[in-house]
Amino acid sequence: GFAEPFKGPTSAPKASMAAKKPKVIVTRKLPDPVETRMRELFDTELNVDDRPMTADELVDAMGRCDVLVPTITDRLDSRLLSRAGERLKLIANFGAGVDNIDVATANQRGFIVTNTPGVLTEDTADLTMSLIMASTRRIVEGAAVVQAGGFQGWSPTWMLGRRLWGKRLGIIGMGRIGQALARRGAAFGLSIHYHNRKPVSPRVAEELGATYWESLDQMLARMDIVSVNCPHTPATYHLLSARRLKLLQPHAVVVNTARGEIIDEGALANMLARGEIAGAGLDVYEHEPAVNPKLLKLPNVVLLPHMGSATVEGRIDMGEKVIVNIKTFMDGHRPPDRVIPSML
Ligand code: 8YV
């Protein structure tokens, strides 16, 4: 294509029109319509190969651009940000979660941080519901039998899972995604329970018919299905610790489409292996892309490769959000999706 490779030689000073456009460096390959629009609007440097940038390449990029568009695969910690150049003004994350960025340090250094909330809510809730269904109804296990040519015919006692209707779903984190999951869960006949820093508004609680548990411990002990839907922050790291996981009932199932760090993955794997809980559906891992080897050997888990927001529509919408944030900021206004540390 006509895109510049991100490691290309520094080009000569641009003509006056181009010079007015902000220099935007995108760290990964984004959907074509997003990249096309970015190139129209900004002086954009794309990553056509989609190879994740090294720490040194990120520092180099931050020294040469007004706006960096990173993703979850770019770890912008305080050490790296302290090496960032003077030119950088905005870090417009392609993604809702910003745990890959030390937002406080970024702000101290004068870099605004934005994210892409709202546009991946329904897709992520769909994937969460899929994991709930897959892990209770053994969907992946059953599909694997047929694909391996092993279907021997119907049997009254074979491939039995567990009924969803009438069970209790406990949602940890009742933000946009938690609420979207609650709606789906209610439609499947689940009773909806949640733990959050504070209760949702009475109007939302009534609409969702959701029961608030101030004590996560007490909620965990009473749920059939537990879903993690909160952001990863210092306060939620290992929120599902070994101690808390032990509060779950043996027939309970845990699903996570948020961030792996929220669950003690080693403790979860051990409990699954010992049959102390019934199953798990995971889309995210504590040390991504590594997956705890114990999990890989278990039959009672459904493991997906971080694809909660992976729809064509969702990824284009995310890109559009990034563009709106950059444009608004460059026009001298507060970008709509600014993240401030007190929100985290
Ligand atoms: C993104 C996600 O694909 O938005 C998030 O928080 O986890 C995913 O939807 C990823 O973060 C891209 O940066």
Side-chain angles (χ1 to χ4, degrees), residues 71-72 94-97 120 259 306 309 315 318:
T71 75
I72 190 173
F94 182 86
L120 38 76
R259 284 291 183 269
H306 197 146
S309 71
R315 292 287 161 84
M318 286 164 72

Side-chain angles (χ1 to χ4, degrees), residues 128 165 184:
T128 312
W165 187 268
R184 283 160 178 74

Side-chain angles (χ1 to χ4, degrees), residues 78 81 101-111 113 339-341 344:
S78 60
L81 287 165
I101 304 168
D102 184 330
V103 180
T105 302
N107 285 179
Q108 276 156 23
R109 297 234 39 209
F111 317 142
V113 177
V339 181
I340 48 174
L344 300 173

Side-chain angles (χ1 to χ4, degrees), residues 151-160:
F151 182 36
Q152 312 265 314
W154 184 87
S155 144
T157 54
W158 181 65
M159 254 322 143
L160 305 187

